Amino acid sequence: MVKSKLLFFFCYLYIVPSEVIIWFNLAESLPCLQINTPIVVTTWNFIDSTKTAYDVLQRGGCALDAIEQGASVCEEEQCDGTVGYGGSPDENGETTLDALIMDGRTMNVGAVAALRRIKSAISVARHVLEHTMHSILAGELATQFAVEMGFHEETLTTPTSKQLWKKWHNEDNCQPNFWLDVTPDPKKSCGPYTKAPSGYTDKNIQRKIDRFNHDTIGMVAIDKNGNIAAGTSTNGAKYKIPGRVGDSPIPGSGAYADNTVGAATATGDGDVMLRFLPSFLAVEEMRRGASPTEAAQTAVQRIAAFYPNFMGAVVALRKDGQYGAACHGLGDNPFPFVVQDVTLDDYKIIKVNCS
């Protein structure tokens, strides 16, 4: 068998005695499909991260390196105040980090959750992937692991995050927060809280989750060898209950990658979204033949059917470099994501309207 590739179009060429038979890689009625790889797709307007990741791929680097280095840029730049150090303090005023990286070639995952006092969350997740037989490490012991791997321990608190917390705690009387069925009334005062008397219930509290109080950088990438990777990094929801872990470090929720199909990543209300594994669902929908856009729509609609007020988005990338996205709950604001691939001279920002 001889593989023939012309100007990013491909098909397989079988030569047999007396005839030439062309077989098309994808079971579609098109001749040879355009392949937009290498490619990077990133949630939101995180341009610098996208450009860094694509530069890695353009220089022949692997998808895993692209994800790690691209997400690291957002951690350093503190994208939207919701990625990296110095943002989204928890109820105690501490910033903690979640991150995940997944290798679609091996189906291996490395992730950290509620990581304390280490800035490079995505790189610690990469070390979990490459230097342990585990998938997720959490909390203080994830910090211990990071230090053992040579990472520098330092505070993730900044004057900005300290001021955010002081205003929330002292001026806003701890409003809003994430407590239910506790006393004193969490809608009126700060804790410490205890379980409310039997029979008390109030499930009508609406906690607004949007781009600027909980966001994630989610990235998916395909390198020149067709290997696929996905990753996430976030500092979680503002004023979360200490110890809270969102969707970002959960494989299949925050991100998922499979070389045989493609990859997906999600962003938004993680406490709700992780219950539906939207990234896994999007990849499986593509496996069943859905386009990336259709796959992302299915994943978002599955959540909205149960939680019509949730805010979130899913980005899907097929192994041939075709991509799409869907979102919900952003009102009149479209959801932006950034793409850079072999067909483009530079990155482009694409916006999709939400359901």
Side-chain angles (χ1 to χ4, degrees), residues 307-321:
Y307 296 93
N309 296 321
F310 98 97
M311 186 285 291
V314 174
V315 175
L317 173 65
R318 201 167 59 191
K319 66 179 182 179
D320 61 356

Side-chain angles (χ1 to χ4, degrees), residues 15 19 26-28 34 36 74 80 87 104 118 124 180 194 207 252 279 286 290-291 301 334 344:
I15 300 178
E19 64 179 332
L26 295 178
E28 300 187 16
Q34 187 174 10
N36 301 332
C74 237
D80 281 350
I118 303 290
V124 179
L180 293 171
T194 58
R207 178 69 164 95
S279 295
M286 288 191 291
S291 71
Q301 290 165 2
L344 301 171

Side-chain angles (χ1 to χ4, degrees), residues 84-128:
Y85 69 100
S88 300
D90 67 16
E91 212 173 52
N92 292 336
E94 181 181 8
T95 296
T96 58
L97 307 178
D98 297 340
L100 172 148
I101 191 165
M102 182 168 184
D103 184 348
R105 181 179 64 87
T106 64
M107 306 304 292
N108 195 6
V109 172
V112 288
L115 178 69
R116 307 177 70 191
R117 302 187 305 281
I118 303 290
K119 286 185 176 180
S120 305
I122 190 71
S123 293
V124 179
R126 178 80 181 269
H127 278 66
V128 173

Side-chain angles (χ1 to χ4, degrees), residues 180-187 195-203 205:
L180 293 171
D181 290 351
V182 294
T183 186
D185 187 346
K187 293 183 294 183
K195 188 170 66 172
S198 178
Y200 174 83
T201 183
D202 185 355
K203 300 297 185 183
I205 298 174

Side-chain angles (χ1 to χ4, degrees), residues 218-281:
M219 303 187 75
V220 287
I222 306 175
D223 62 32
K224 67 175 185 178
N225 296 316
N227 290 318
I228 304 174
T232 63
S233 184
T234 185
N235 54 36
K238 279 187 177 68
Y239 319 122
K240 60 193 174 188
I241 297 171
R244 179 262 190 187
V245 174
D247 63 321
S248 296
I250 308 302
S253 187
Y256 195 75
D258 183 340
N259 265 21
T260 66
V261 181
T265 186
T267 179
D269 187 349
D271 289 295
V272 169
M273 296 179 76
L274 66 81
R275 303 166 192 172
F276 297 86
L277 296 179
S279 295
F280 175 78
L281 177 57

